[in-house]
Amino acid sequence: MTNASPDLARRADELRRQLAYHAYRYHVLDAPLISDAAYDSLYRELRDLETEHPDLVTPDSPTQRVGGAPVEGFRKVRHPAPMLSLDNAFSVEEVRAWGERMRRLVGDVPMDFVVEPKMDGLTVVLHYTDGVFTLGATRGNGIEGEDVTANLRTLPGVPLRIPVDVNADTPAPPTLVVRGEVLMHKDAFARLNASRVAEGLEPYANPRNTAAGALRQLDPRITATRPLTLYTYAVVVGPRLRSQWEALEYLQTMGFPVNSDSKHADNLNDAIAIAEEWLARKASLNYDADGIVLKVNSFALQEELGVVGSAPRSAIAFKPAPQEGVTVLQRIAVNVGRTGVVTPQALMDPVRIGGVTVSQATLHNADYIAERDIREGDTVVLKRAGDVIPQVLRAVVELRPPDAQPWHMPPTCPSCGEPLVRLPGEAATYCVNAACPAQLRRHVEHFAGRGAMDIVGLGEKIVAQVVDAGLVHDVADLYHLKEGREALLTLEGFAEKKVDNLLAAIEASKDRPLARLLFALGIQHVGSTIAETLARQFGAIDALMAASLAEVQGIAGLGPQIAESVVDYFANPRNREVIARLKAAGVRTADAHAEAPKDGHLAGQTFVLTGRLPNMTRDEAKSRIESRGGRVTDSVTRKTTYVVAGEEPGSKLDKARQLGVAVLDEAGLLRLLEG
C-alpha cells in the first residue's frame, strides 16, 4: 500500500461529499436523487480506495459509520449548557394561563411561537469542530452525560461533516453544539420485532426503551444494526441566531434532520390550534411522543422571561390528560407462553382508567419488577400505555404495608413444576419443558404449522379440542391419535371423513425434512434458517443431541446464545423422551447430509433475505440460491455478497447500506440466478 496521489485524494474527497449528500437526501429529506445501486457503487469505490490507501481515511468518511470495537464503559461528558425541564399544561385553559403570566412580565409586545412535538426518545448533544463531528453525549442528569460518540456515528441521520449539501452557501462555524432526540420509528420497531420473532427471539417491549438500550450499547456494532433515527431541535453553541424558528432552519441548512411536525405560529391562538390538531392525530404518528411543546420564538424574549426553578418561563409542554389511575396490587401471578417465556402479571383491585375498568396488567419480567421495587400489597400507579395496554408505572412506597416483601420469580414452573431457566444476558425467564401443559396448546399449533410439520387441518380450534380432551399431552401424542380414533369421533364437529383426513395429514407429516422437525420443536432462538443450518451440519437428530456446546458453537452463523439454547434443550430428559417417541412413531429424524453444490455459478457468494418477495417465498428463493452453489445466512456482515430485499424489509436492509453490501430486488435476484 502506498500514499495516494493528489488525484486519488481529490476523488476520495469528492466521493465522501457525494455520499454524505445522498445519505442526507435519503435519510433526512426522504427524497433520494439516485438509486440504491448507484449509491452502493459510489460507496464501494470509496471503500476500495481507502482500503488500498489508508492515508485517505478521514473521520467524516461514510465508511467510518460502522461500529468499531466494544468499549469497557462510557466516560462522563459535561454539557456546555445545562438542560432544563419543562412545566406541563393539561388543558387549553392552562396554556392560556401560561400566556397570561408571560404577558404580565413583558407587557403587550408582539409574541410569536414555535410548536414542536415532545418526542419520546433519548436526548443527545452533538459537538462539531470545524464542521467535523467530534463528540456525542447523552442527556444524563442534564449537567453531564455519557460519551456515546462511537454509537452515534453509526446513525445514518447524524452528519459526520457539515454542511451536508455540497452547494450550501452557509459555511460551518468553528464550533457548533446541537441538541436532538434519538428514537425508533414505530414501523421500524415493528419490523425489528417481527424479525426477532421469526428467529425465535423475544420481542422488545417498546420503541423508547429499545432505542435507549441500542444507543448505550458498549459494542457500537450492535448499535449499527438498530434502526435509530435522529431529530434535532436546538442550537446550544454556534452562530448568533435570533429565534427558535431561525435555529430550526439553520439546522436544516447544515444537513441535520428536523421533525416536519414542527410549526411556526403568529400568535398563541394559532399555536394552540396547531397543538390541538397534532394531539388529535398523535396516536397515528410514526413516532412516540408524550405531548407537544409551545415555545416563545424570539430568543431575546426567552432571555427576558428567564427561568423559574429549573424550567424556562418561555416554554410549556401541552399534554393530554394523563390516562393514569391508582389501585392496590393484590398478587403477582406468572403466565407461561408458547415459547416457555414466563411473564409476571399484576392482579389488582379494579380501577377505571380512561373509561375502561382495569384489573390486570403486565409486569414484563423480573428485572422490571426489581428496578421499580413493586411488591404484593403495594398501592401502584397504573397507566394505559398508548391509551390501550395497562402498565404498572411505580409503587407508592409511602403507602406500602409493613409486611410487604420483595418479589422474586418462582424457581419452578407453576404449570409443570420443572425448574425455570434464565439465560445469561436475557431479561426473560423460561420453562424449557416441551411437555409443559401451559405451553402445550401453542406448542402443538406451532409444531403443526405451515413452516414446521405442515399438518393440514390441525388448526387452533382442533388443537384446543384434542388437548382439552386429554388426547394430546405432547407433540409425540399426535402420531398416536389413530389409536384413539373412537375418542376423536366423540368430539364436537368430528365425523368419519374429518377424522380420516386429520389422521392422513398427520401420517403424511412424518416424512418432513429434519430442518422442519428441528424448527417445529420450538427450541428457543432456533428459527427456520438456524434449523436448516443445524440439519446440514449434523444430518441426524441423534448426532445433534450428542453434540457438545463447543461443537454447536463452532458452527458458522450460530452465536453462543443460540448454541446454549440448543444444548440445554436436548439436555432436558423430558425433551429427549418426546424425541424418542417421535422416532418410535416413524417420524423422520435424519437426512442425507447434503451440502449446497460447490460448482454452481453462485459458489462462494453469501446472500441474506429480508422482506416479502412478490412472486416467491423465502424458502423458494433460498432453495434456488443454494441449488446454484450460493449460501443463505441470517446476518448481514462485511462478508455478505448480496442482500435480497422485498416489501417491508427489516433492519437488515439498513445494515446492508451501512456496510456497502449490494442490494437486489426480486428481479435482480432472478437475473443473477439465470447467470
Side-chain angles (χ1 to χ4, degrees), residues 250-404:
Y250 176 78
L251 288 168
Q252 288 180 303
T253 299
M254 289 291 106
F256 292 97
V258 172
N259 194 317
S260 60
D261 285 333
S262 298
K263 306 294 182 185
H264 177 263
D266 291 330
N267 52 59
L268 185 58
N269 285 337
D270 288 352
I272 290 172
I274 292 170
E276 287 185 307
E277 185 274 334
W278 181 90
L279 288 170
R281 59 185 178 88
K282 181 171 82 76
S284 65
L285 297 172
N286 197 26
Y287 57 88
D288 284 331
D290 56 2
I292 192 160
V293 179
L294 284 70
K295 299 178 181 177
V296 172
N297 188 31
S298 166
F299 286 161
L301 271 179
Q302 288 185 16
E303 186 174 351
E304 185 177 349
L305 286 163
V307 176
V308 56
S310 61
R313 290 192 179 95
S314 57
I316 197 164
F318 183 17
K319 300 181 177 182
Q323 298 284 294
E324 293 184 2
V326 177
T327 188
V328 175
L329 191 162
Q330 296 291 354
R331 187 165 68 89
I332 299 176
V334 291
N335 296 331
V336 185
R338 175 191 70 80
T339 61
V341 176
V342 180
T343 304
Q345 193 83 2
L347 306 181
M348 306 166 295
D349 290 342
V351 60
R352 296 280 292 179
I353 304 177
V356 176
T357 299
V358 175
S359 60
Q360 297 185 25
T362 180
L363 290 169
H364 301 294
N365 53 58
D367 287 351
Y368 185 90
I369 296 173
E371 289 166 1
R372 292 158 179 78
D373 190 21
I374 298 169
R375 307 183 184 186
E376 292 180 332
D378 272 344
T379 297
V380 294
V381 178
L382 192 69
K383 176 183 179 181
R384 290 179 63 214
D387 299 333
V388 178
I389 304 169
Q391 178 180 342
V392 176
L393 298 179
R394 61 187 179 276
V396 183
V397 179
E398 295 80 2
L399 301 179
R400 172 171 290 161
D403 59 345

Side-chain angles (χ1 to χ4, degrees), residues 451-469:
M453 300 302 280
D454 195 15
I455 302 177
V456 178
L458 191 57
E460 181 180 350
K461 183 178 178 180
I462 293 179
V463 168
Q465 286 180 287
V466 296
V467 169
D468 292 349

Side-chain angles (χ1 to χ4, degrees), residues 461-462 465 487-495 498:
K461 183 178 178 180
I462 293 179
Q465 286 180 287
L488 284 174
L489 287 169
T490 66
L491 300 180
E492 182 181 353
F494 278 77
K498 183 172 181 177

Side-chain angles (χ1 to χ4, degrees), residues 70-71 160 181 210 255 260-262 303 321 325 337 418 461 469 523 536 553 623 640 649 656:
V71 297
L160 301 182
E181 199 83 358
T210 306
S260 60
D261 285 333
S262 298
E303 186 174 351
E418 286 286 303
K461 183 178 178 180
I523 304 169
R536 280 198 305 270
Q553 280 184 333
S623 176
T640 303

Side-chain angles (χ1 to χ4, degrees), residues 456-457 462 485 488-489 491 493-506:
V456 178
I462 293 179
R485 189 174 187 282
L488 284 174
L489 287 169
L491 300 180
F494 278 77
E496 295 278 352
K497 186 174 182 180
K498 183 172 181 177
V499 170
D500 290 342
N501 288 341
L502 176 61
L503 294 177
I506 293 172

Side-chain angles (χ1 to χ4, degrees), residues 524-569:
Q524 191 66 28
H525 305 315
V526 175
S528 58
T529 303
I530 296 298
E532 290 178 7
T533 300
L534 292 170
R536 280 198 305 270
Q537 181 70 24
F538 292 98
I541 205 165
D542 287 341
L544 179 55
M545 287 197 295
S548 66
L549 178 60
E551 287 176 300
V552 180
Q553 280 184 333
I555 301 171
L558 267 70
Q561 188 179 51
I562 297 173
E564 287 177 16
S565 178
V566 170
V567 172
D568 288 346
Y569 179 89

